[in-house]
């Protein structure tokens, strides 16, 4: 798998940054949601990990934005119903 993006697929750097952000968000959410169920002596360390996960999400986001500026994304696939279907989907996502 190439490190950089190609015209048809994202590279391993973009995919790694994407999945790292997914895992960090899920970890922060899980710790934040289940933190009250932890014993009292473990809550402080869980809060520390929760805050650390949030800060790492910001760091990964910054790296993703830098990578997005440096690297060109793959060309989008053709929509089976034409360009209007893409515009409708984009419009529906912003409602």
């Amino acid at each position: 798998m190439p490190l950089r993006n190609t015209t048809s697929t994202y590279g391993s750097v973009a995919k790694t940054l994407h999945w790292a952000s997914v895992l960090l968000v899920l970890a922060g959410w899980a710790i934040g949601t289940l933190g009250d169920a932890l014993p009292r002596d473990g809550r402080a360390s869980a809060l520390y990990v929760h805050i650390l996960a949030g800060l790492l999400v910001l760091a990964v986001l910054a790296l993703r934005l830098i990578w997005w500026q440096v690297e060109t994304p793959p060309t989008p696939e053709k929509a089976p119903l034409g360009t209007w279907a893409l515009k409708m989907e984009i419009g529906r996502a912003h409602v």
Side-chain angles (χ1 to χ4, degrees):
M1 177 183 302
L3 288 176
R4 300 180 72 115
N5 298 342
T6 64
T7 57
S8 61
T9 186
Y10 286 100
S12 60
V13 172
K15 289 179 182 179
T16 301
L17 290 173
H18 169 79
W19 286 109
S21 63
V22 168
L23 292 175
L24 286 168
V25 166
L26 288 176
W29 173 80
I31 294 168
T33 302
L34 304 173
D36 290 336
L38 294 173
R40 287 207 179 264
D41 57 346
R43 288 184 187 172
S45 59
L47 179 63
Y48 174 76
V49 173
H50 176 77
I51 292 171
L52 182 63
L55 292 173
L56 287 174
V57 166
L58 290 176
V60 170
L61 173 66
L63 289 173
R64 287 182 72 178
L65 288 174
I66 292 168
W67 189 254
W68 179 61
Q69 291 296 318
V70 170
E71 197 62 28
T72 56
T75 55
E77 294 181 7
K78 297 280 187 195
L81 298 176
T83 57
W84 69 271
L86 281 175
K87 291 177 185 175
M88 292 298 293
E89 183 63 27
I90 291 170
R92 187 177 65 85
H94 294 292
V95 172

